[in-house]
DNA sequence: ACCTGAACACCGTTCAAGT
DNA sequence: ACCTGAACACCGTTCAAGT
């Protein structure tokens, strides 16, 4: 037992890998993995502590030992999904920003259903993000953004990027909000050529492919080229800040 | 009683303003007004059908006659808040876009707590927005955006604008998620000058004033000048699309 | 240290009635 | 037409126990 050694021995209850009756062998990692699995396959509305516990074969309260509040688990999910977003290494600032924005979106694409969690809450997984913030500030300075516009430029990039993608993957009404897509199609079909000529001309190109005029989100109707354009808009806009 | 006149007389049950016992004199407008009132004063988490009903002195189910699903009421709230956003009239496209974006943000500023509803769900109050979409498309064409980039440009403007503001007013953790702000301050205070020199230099200017490094949202810490910069970034970016 | 069980104060919504 | 009342199937979370 090596007594007297103050090495933080943890009670040795489950020592030797022996399973204790009534113990579910839970861990923060297992709970987190199951949470992401549930969100990915069953949608965000299935992400409840009780449903999760059932999936893990455990009492709801078992989860609370590892995550004291549901929001702690939410934070962990967001952190995990965003953990893969490593900004690229040394290139020109434009190339870096383009790459970073696409990496961010790619992470959300892997777990589209978590998007509302990222867009709706204050992003908080700070610790791991300081490197990213430092990199972004460095690149913005490299681009020529003056110090007195640095915070605004930073907020523009983050707000625009996170905001666009959150919008793209925004929650679709529900499983079947009776004929919500039908009504949308009706509205688009009924666009009047005289009242809304430009919209009328564009309607087939915009239908279900543009904000406000769609009934599916980015999970089933990704806005790839629009996001490409958006990054170019942002890059050109940042460049204009430097003159 | 003017019988025989098919003018859609409504049963005359409450005719003459006489109150019926057990009737609460509800209406879609009254429910909607109360919903916005509750959201504004008590926050989004207080916006439940049951809490709302209590506030109106009525059974929860009474609301369901006027709004068959909670989501119908959510839609109505969003539509109402955004109803005030009338795009400005004829000016240069840059002036128009700047004005429109600020009007949109001003509407959210009037009801900051509804922001998560706007950012999180697919925006759906279509009918009233066709005029706005037509106007935006017109201005983008006026700006010189070619037809084959029109949808992308439209999505960039809407996605960026709605996204930024949604982010700015994103939900703060909760009433008191024990020392969440404290931990954030610690992180910022502990920024290492050697590992993160740019961030270190900017830290006092960014603390609680920039995305990821804040613990309050736009309701208490509005990002006015960042949004100004963001609109200029968008405008310059759109302009770059035309060359 | 880690989990169970019962209980509290909530939800949205359906269904059958009342007037 | 418009509202009540009871019921169903959920929530997150606290508190007291168990091992």
């Amino acid at each position: 037992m090596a007594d007297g050694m103050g090495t933080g021995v943890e009670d040795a209850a489950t020592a030797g890998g022996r399973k204790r009756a009534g113990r579910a062998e839970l861990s923060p990692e297992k709970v987190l993995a199951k949470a992401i699995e549930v969100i990915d396959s069953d949608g965000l509305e299935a992400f409840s502590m009780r449903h999760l516990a059932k999936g893990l074969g455990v009492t709801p309260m078992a989860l609370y030992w590892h995550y004291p509040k549901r929001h702690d688990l939410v934070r962990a999910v967001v952190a995990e999904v965003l953990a893969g977003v490593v900004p690229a290494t040394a290139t020109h600032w434009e190339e870096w920003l383009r790459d970073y924005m696409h990496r961010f979106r790619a992470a959300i694409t892997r777990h589209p259903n978590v998007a509302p969690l990222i867009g709706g809450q204050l992003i908080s997984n700070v610790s791991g993000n300081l490197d990213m913030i430092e990199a972004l500030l460095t690149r913005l300075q490299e681009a020529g953004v003056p110090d007195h516009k640095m915070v605004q430029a930073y907020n523009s990039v983050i707000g625009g990027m996170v905001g666009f993608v959150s919008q793209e993957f925004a929650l679709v009404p529900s499983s079947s909000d009776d004929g919500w897509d039908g009504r949308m199609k009706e509205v688009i079909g009924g666009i009047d050529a005289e009242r809304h000529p430009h919209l009328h001309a564009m309607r087939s190109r915009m239908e279900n492919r543009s904000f406000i005029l769609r009934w599916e989100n980015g999970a089933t109707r990704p806005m790839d080229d629009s996001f490409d354009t958006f990054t170019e808009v942002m890059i050109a806009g940042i460049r204009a800040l430097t003159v």
Side-chain angles (χ1 to χ4, degrees), chain A residues 26-36 52 56 62-63 66-67 73:
Chain A
L26 231 51
S27 70
E29 294 77 24
K30 262 180 197 160
V31 175
L32 175 56
K34 190 70 178 177
I36 293 182
L52 215 59
L56 288 162
L63 308 179
H66 303 278
Y67 296 95
L73 182 50

Side-chain angles (χ1 to χ4, degrees), chain A residues 17-28:
Chain A
R18 184 171 53 87
K19 272 190 192 174
R20 277 276 220 138
R23 291 290 267 277
E25 301 284 315
L26 231 51
S27 70

Side-chain angles (χ1 to χ4, degrees), chain A residues 7-206:
Chain A
T7 47
V9 181
E10 294 167 352
D11 203 302
T14 57
R18 184 171 53 87
K19 272 190 192 174
R20 277 276 220 138
R23 291 290 267 277
E25 301 284 315
L26 231 51
S27 70
E29 294 77 24
K30 262 180 197 160
V31 175
L32 175 56
K34 190 70 178 177
I36 293 182
E37 184 193 324
V38 164
I39 294 174
D40 282 346
S41 57
D42 300 344
L44 198 56
E45 63 276 12
F47 174 35
S48 75
M49 299 300 266
R50 300 182 101 110
H51 182 85
L52 215 59
K54 200 167 290 181
L56 288 162
V58 110
T59 292
M61 294 323 302
L63 308 179
Y64 282 84
W65 202 92
H66 303 278
Y67 296 95
K69 302 270 178 186
R70 187 185 118 98
H71 193 251
D72 294 321
L73 182 50
V74 170
R75 260 206 289 269
V77 168
V78 171
E80 174 73 11
V81 168
L82 260 34
V85 188
V86 249
T89 44
T91 43
H92 190 259
W93 75 269
E94 297 191 11
E95 200 44 58
W96 184 91
L97 186 54
R98 192 164 14 236
D99 192 46
Y100 176 63
M101 288 178 70
H102 280 90
R103 280 172 196 249
F104 175 82
R105 182 165 174 273
I108 309 291
T109 301
R110 264 173 251 128
H111 306 280
N113 295 337
V114 312
L117 297 180
I118 293 171
Q121 256 95 0
L122 290 200
I123 322 185
S124 45
N125 54 324
V126 186
S127 41
N129 276 25
L130 293 187
D131 290 342
M132 184 283 285
I133 297 174
E134 175 68 18
L136 178 52
L137 292 176
T138 307
R139 299 316 181 135
L140 288 174
Q141 180 173 289
E142 201 179 304
V145 174
D147 268 26
H148 69 278
K149 284 187 184 172
M150 188 55 82
V151 178
Q152 292 94 313
Y154 165 87
N155 279 334
S156 295
V157 171
I158 300 292
M161 177 184 75
V162 179
F164 185 107
V165 178
S166 297
Q167 280 293 300
E168 184 184 356
F169 293 94
L171 232 42
V172 56
S174 86
S175 332
S176 69
D177 186 356
D178 275 340
W180 128 275
D181 55 339
R183 270 178 286 130
M184 183 60 76
K185 285 174 205 168
E186 254 182 64
V187 169
I188 296 173
I191 290 170
D192 184 37
E194 314 221 342
R195 277 194 60 181
H196 305 119
H198 293 96
L199 179 51
H200 182 82
M202 286 286 166
R203 72 190 188 288
S204 63
R205 262 180 282 185
M206 295 183 78

